[in-house]
Amino acid sequence: MEKNKNQKDLFHISIPFEKQKKLSFYTDSSIPIEKYYNPINQDNYFLDKIGYPGKYPYTRGIHPTMYRQKLWTIRQYAGFGSAYETNERFRYLLKEGQNALSVAFDLPTQLGYDSDHPLAEGEVGKVGVAIDTLHDMEKLFNDIRLDHISTSMTINAPAIILYCMYIAIAEKQGLSSEQITGTVQNDILKEYIARGTYIFPPKPSIRLTTDLLEYSHKHTPKFNSISISGYHIRESGSNAIQELAFTFANAMTYIDEALRRGIKVDEFASRLSFFFSASNDFFEEIAKFRAARRIWATIMKKQYQAKEPKCWQLRFHTQTAGSTLTKQDPDNNIIRVTLQALSAVLGGTQSLHTNAKDEASSLPNEDAAKTALRTQQIIAFESGVGSSVDPLGGSYYVEYLTNEIEKQVYEYINEIQRIGGTINAIETGYFHNEIQNVAYETYKQVENKEKTIVGVNKFDTDTKRELHTPRLFSSDHSQINSVNEVKKRRNELKVTRCLSDLRNAITTDENLVPFVLAAVKSYCTVGEICHVFREVFGSYSANEKT
Amino acid sequence: MYSEKCLGHTRQMKKHEQIRVLIGKVGLDGHNRGAIILAKALREKGMYTVYSGLRQSPEQIAAQAMKYNVDIIGLSSLSGAHRSLFPKVASELSKLEGRHILIIGGGLIPDSDIAFLEKRGITKVFNDSNISIEEIVNSIEQLVFKRKYSLKN
């Protein structure tokens, strides 16, 4: 009891929460609840398509007991301003019962520019935290023990740099790299398709992705070296089928590249993780998650011949769909988020982020962030939806939707292969076209009111808008001063040597992680390291036709 | 202000003079869904519309506006950098003798920033998620007509 009041022990709070072990489950009226329910007639169709939780093809979930034994990870994406400010928010979220961290980086960091770069003007600390050097990462994880929490980092083009910084922080805390848990997004292909924070051309980018994959499976075996993301594809306007198809097409490209390097599929595929959106169409979303598990299990077992069952299991994080939030009547967003989060839970997600009600206007304020967190906690601890695994399994409608989505996803994956694979599809603008057509169609449906958005195109009399007060961050200026301070204190000779070693290594086949690790430990900046990459790899310019 | 009368004029004007628009993604922000939808919709409404592509600097936006000889630039930003970037586009345009080109903006822009932007060369800001394309089209027509009319006199 005493311990929990101690700041330093803040991060132990999550442990009993995660490992809640109840032996028997009952409804509120004391009806006993079994782990899961099956049809009386378990014919071949049932066994092939639906089956049991924790068994291939995992339609019903990757664990036999799912949330009865281990709740999903409550992981709220956060980051703004300086490392100091974000560290405060992290500690607040952990205190309120979140059990993992998820870092949002600002755009200059995501695009490999230091805070003092001309293109960073006005963007420093805006959509995430500004990280220029290891010094900022030290502040970001101040008083947070990396062996007690897992951290997800939304970083792609410069993923290798932030991953190395995380290892360096662990070492400073006296931990070995084998102990760290978490995820680095490291999914560059979807950046060209949807999210837009690519730096280098696809081929050298995939080399960086694969270097990280290869290094991670040896040195950080508990870390997910990639989170292959459909979320941003969906947010840029795709439908649920495209979301899955494009994500799996990307995943297969990474696997092919790793296999080409001679890494065995069973050695790394179990550390591949995924990230999907939970949008408005409740049953379609549930069916999407179920279909996704079956498709992935089939691809891994049949196509890639993986022997290790862990490689067949699709593990994914889910975020509720930000693009469905409205500025009008922001309270309505709480209801949208609740339904979306529920679909993710009924779909068997491993980890969840719920959006805050004010995110159509700004980064969430503390109250809105708390309500978003409470939404998950109410689903987890009050609703009882986690008492039986895959409670919708066997529903005629849900199984029909699951089959339909599966069928159409395969058609799309085959189409992408027919046109020459993902990189070709990126370079010819295929993905952009496919997504834009759907996005435009959706927009038209909203405009002519075929698709209803409550408070926007229907029931829109007397809608409220909250007067938004922009958050005051520490300025670009203070971050620039802080980088300059670090530059003054560091050993310039070491910096120069690390950067030239890295430059030389790029021209060989060597794995670049050790070189980047040495560079970040010498306090080279994100911008300096990316500059070396830019010099050798060049920059990518998209083929963007509308 | 000029709604009825002006609208009549602009519809007439459109017959012999197509409005030319640049939809610009300025800054590092990668959110392009709205910008692309708007570009497509304006084209469908008969305007000559160019989409800048992602991650353009203010200098690049101004240069594109001159190159395509547009009447109006629609800037989009959802990263919070509009306060520095939108006014910079206006000043870059002046450097290129492009003061006649109008600038409007949209995206994730707090109401409290609108006056700030309007003082710095941004004629109108659309920050409501329920604004219809029809309303944006009408606004563009009115603004361009008014600008052309005032330049002629």
Side-chain angles (χ1 to χ4, degrees):
Chain A
M1 284 293 149
E2 265 302 292
K3 267 188 165 180
N4 282 353
K5 285 183 192 142
N6 185 330
Q7 271 282 321
K8 294 253 167 175
D9 279 340
L10 205 62
F11 315 105
H12 293 281
I13 294 172
S14 61
I15 290 165
F17 174 86
E18 256 199 19
K19 295 200 175 143
Q20 48 158 7
K21 277 215 173 94
K22 247 162 90 178
L23 293 172
S24 40
F25 286 76
Y26 296 92
T27 67
D28 282 352
S29 313
S30 308
I31 301 169
I33 306 170
E34 292 296 326
K35 270 190 271 184
Y36 47 86
Y37 292 87
N38 294 323
I40 294 160
N41 177 18
Q42 292 170 29
D43 55 13
N44 283 342
Y45 175 83
F46 169 80
L47 292 171
D48 288 350
K49 287 285 204 181
I50 305 168
Y52 310 111
K55 289 259 163 61
Y56 182 88
Y58 303 104
T59 311
R60 309 193 65 184
I62 58 170
H63 300 300
T65 50
M66 289 299 287
Y67 310 135
R68 282 166 69 107
Q69 258 189 355
K70 185 178 183 295
L71 206 64
W72 63 88
T73 305
I74 298 180
R75 196 190 284 282
Q76 301 291 83
Y77 187 44
F80 52 84
S82 68
Y84 177 79
E85 287 160 298
T86 301
N87 175 268
E88 295 261 287
R89 173 62 67 89
F90 281 172
R91 299 208 279 160
Y92 171 78
L93 287 167
L94 290 166
K95 183 169 72 85
E96 293 297 331
Q98 172 171 319
N99 49 9
L101 295 175
S102 175
V103 190
F105 295 100
D106 71 357
L107 284 167
T109 307
Q110 292 189 47
L111 289 163
Y113 297 120
D114 288 338
S115 299
D116 57 356
H117 192 282
L119 289 174
E121 196 190 329
E123 311 265 18
V124 176
K126 282 281 164 38
V127 303
V129 58
I131 301 291
D132 289 305
T133 66
L134 187 60
H135 176 69
D136 296 317
M137 281 294 259
E138 288 161 7
K139 286 193 289 180
L140 187 64
F141 291 100
N142 184 33
D143 271 346
I144 299 176
R145 294 275 308 177
L146 301 196
D147 52 344
H148 291 159
I149 49 129
S150 84
T151 304
S152 169
M153 296 188 282
T154 300
I155 194 78
N156 295 280
I160 195 169
I161 303 171
L162 278 299
Y163 168 76
C164 286
M165 285 185 178
Y166 197 75
I167 294 175
I169 296 292
E171 287 176 6
K172 278 180 184 265
Q173 292 187 357
L175 306 168
S176 74
S177 66
E178 284 84 13
Q179 284 173 279
I180 60 168
T181 59
T183 307
V184 61
Q185 198 161 73
N186 195 29
D187 169 20
I188 196 65
L189 291 170
K190 63 92 176 55
E191 297 294 334
Y192 305 105
I193 297 174
R195 194 166 171 274
T197 63
Y198 45 80
I199 305 177
F200 324 110
K203 280 186 184 140
S205 294
I206 289 180
R207 175 195 175 175
L208 291 177
T209 298
T210 320
D211 278 0
L212 203 165
L213 240 68
E214 187 179 37
Y215 183 91
S216 176
H217 100 258
K218 288 183 199 134
H219 298 93
T220 56
K222 291 202 272 179
F223 209 77
N224 298 310
S225 46
I226 192 165
S227 168
I228 308 159
S229 309
Y231 181 81
H232 317 91
I233 292 171
R234 190 67 181 278
E235 283 289 287
S236 75
S238 88
N239 62 28
I241 293 156
Q242 293 172 323
E243 179 189 358
L244 291 193
F246 298 173
T247 305
F248 289 143
N250 289 345
M252 288 155 75
T253 308
Y254 297 125
I255 294 179
D256 292 341
E257 184 57 30
L259 294 178
R260 231 191 318 276
R261 284 202 189 183
I263 315 173
K264 300 244 169 3
V265 70
D266 284 302
E267 283 174 3
F268 71 94
S270 66
R271 294 324 296 174
L272 303 175
S273 66
F274 289 82
F275 173 22
F276 295 114
S277 164
S279 194
N280 281 345
D281 193 336
F282 188 70
F283 286 109
E284 183 176 84
E285 293 301 287
I286 296 167
K288 176 186 79 180
F289 298 123
R290 299 176 83 250
R293 271 191 299 272
R294 188 156 77 210
I295 295 166
W296 187 243
T298 312
I299 290 175
M300 292 314 292
K301 190 178 178 186
K302 301 272 163 70
Q303 187 174 334
Y304 288 105
Q305 311 271 314
K307 301 279 176 290
E308 187 59 54
K310 276 222 170 299
C311 299
W312 308 335
Q313 298 169 359
L314 179 95
R315 293 171 305 122
F316 63 95
H317 171 70
T318 306
Q319 179 169 345
T320 59
S323 58
T324 64
L325 302 181
T326 65
K327 207 164 170 174
Q328 296 80 3
D329 283 343
D331 286 349
N332 292 348
N333 292 328
I334 299 174
I335 323 299
R336 292 187 178 101
V337 168
T338 305
L339 286 165
Q340 293 163 356
L342 188 58
S343 77
V345 170
L346 292 172
T349 194
Q350 273 59 61
S351 154
L352 182 60
H353 168 104
T354 33
N355 290 326
K357 66 170 187 171
D358 56 353
E359 287 188 74
S361 323
S362 66
L363 295 185
N365 69 38
E366 202 165 279
D367 278 345
K370 186 167 158 186
T371 305
L373 180 60
R374 294 288 180 258
T375 305
Q376 292 202 37
Q377 290 162 334
I378 289 168
I379 295 174
F381 298 106
E382 291 185 14
S383 77
V385 294
S387 301
S388 193
V389 182
D390 189 36
L392 294 171
S395 144
Y396 299 123
Y397 179 46
V398 171
E399 296 299 351
Y400 160 76
L401 287 177
T402 307
N403 292 343
E404 258 324 284
I405 289 172
E406 179 187 34
K407 193 177 88 196
Q408 294 192 38
V409 167
Y410 279 126
E411 283 168 11
Y412 243 125
I413 292 175
N414 291 337
E415 167 76 10
I416 293 161
Q417 278 167 353
R418 217 172 13 252
I419 61 167
T422 45
I423 294 183
N424 201 44
I426 286 166
E427 287 172 348
T428 56
Y430 169 84
F431 290 119
H432 284 165
N433 276 338
E434 291 295 304
I435 296 170
Q436 282 166 22
N437 289 340
V438 174
Y440 196 57
E441 198 46 45
T442 311
Y443 141 74
K444 279 188 153 174
Q445 287 170 349
V446 172
E447 186 106 331
N448 59 34
K449 305 190 181 188
E450 275 171 60
K451 212 180 186 69
T452 298
I453 302 177
V454 172
V456 174
N457 66 3
K458 203 169 188 173
F459 315 114
D460 55 348
T461 48
D462 198 26
T463 50
K464 264 184 283 175
R465 288 179 58 145
E466 264 168 31
L467 186 67
H468 165 72
T469 328
R471 181 193 308 283
L472 291 174
F473 297 128
S474 56
S475 60
D476 292 22
H477 197 65
S478 68
Q479 184 65 24
I480 292 170
N481 283 344
S482 148
V483 192
N484 288 336
E485 275 304 306
V486 174
K487 282 184 181 169
K488 267 186 227 156
R489 287 200 312 262
R490 67 186 186 177
N491 179 337
E492 282 304 314
L493 266 175
K494 254 172 112 180
V495 167
T496 319
R497 205 182 52 232
C498 284
L499 294 175
S500 89
D501 287 351
L502 174 64
R503 188 177 286 108
N504 294 336
I506 296 175
T507 54
T508 69
D509 283 342
E510 271 189 275
N511 190 308
L512 298 177
V513 175
F515 297 92
V516 176
L517 192 55
V520 302
K521 284 180 182 170
S522 310
Y523 293 86
C524 293
T525 67
V526 171
E528 287 164 341
I529 298 170
C530 279
H531 181 70
V532 173
F533 288 143
R534 277 189 170 97
E535 279 181 334
V536 188
F537 294 151
S539 301
Y540 181 73
S541 163
N543 173 5
E544 285 187 280
K545 282 187 222 119
T546 62
Chain B
M1 276 186 290
Y2 348 70
S3 51
E4 290 304 310
K5 201 175 157 203
C6 213
L7 203 60
H9 280 289
T10 51
R11 295 283 191 209
Q12 272 171 15
M13 186 182 85
K14 250 177 72 180
K15 281 180 192 158
H16 49 92
E17 209 175 338
Q18 193 185 25
I19 294 179
R20 299 173 70 86
V21 190
L22 170 66
I23 297 296
K25 280 300 306 179
V26 65
L28 304 181
D29 173 36
H31 294 93
N32 57 5
R33 180 173 175 176
I36 289 172
I37 287 176
L38 183 60
K40 277 186 183 232
L42 294 181
R43 225 170 268 149
E44 221 167 62
K45 303 275 181 188
M47 295 187 188
Y48 175 86
T49 312
V50 183
Y51 166 62
S52 69
L54 282 183
R55 274 196 253 154
Q56 303 293 308
S57 66
E59 292 85 346
Q60 287 169 317
I61 295 282
Q64 282 196 46
M66 298 304 287
K67 179 180 162 197
Y68 293 105
N69 188 25
V70 300
D71 301 300
I72 187 163
I73 305 174
L75 294 175
S76 156
S77 169
L78 287 85
S79 72
H82 52 272
R83 282 174 70 99
S84 358
L85 296 174
F86 287 9
K88 267 196 132 180
V89 173
S91 62
E92 289 301 321
L93 265 186
S94 322
K95 281 189 209 160
L96 301 176
E97 305 292 324
R99 271 190 209 87
H100 61 284
I101 299 172
L102 286 158
I103 304 174
I104 57 175
L108 252 181
I109 296 168
D111 294 344
S112 50
D113 283 348
I114 294 179
F116 173 90
L117 294 173
E118 284 175 350
K119 268 187 222 143
R120 287 162 182 80
I122 315 306
T123 308
K124 200 168 165 61
V125 175
F126 299 90
N127 67 344
D128 243 335
S129 41
N130 66 342
I131 183 118
S132 74
I133 297 277
E134 193 63 36
E135 287 170 75
I136 297 177
V137 169
N138 287 341
S139 274
I140 291 176
E141 284 177 344
Q142 285 170 34
L143 293 170
V144 171
F145 174 78
K146 188 193 153 208
R147 172 59 60 97
K148 289 200 168 172
Y149 186 77
S150 71
L151 290 176
K152 274 175 196 157
N153 290 280

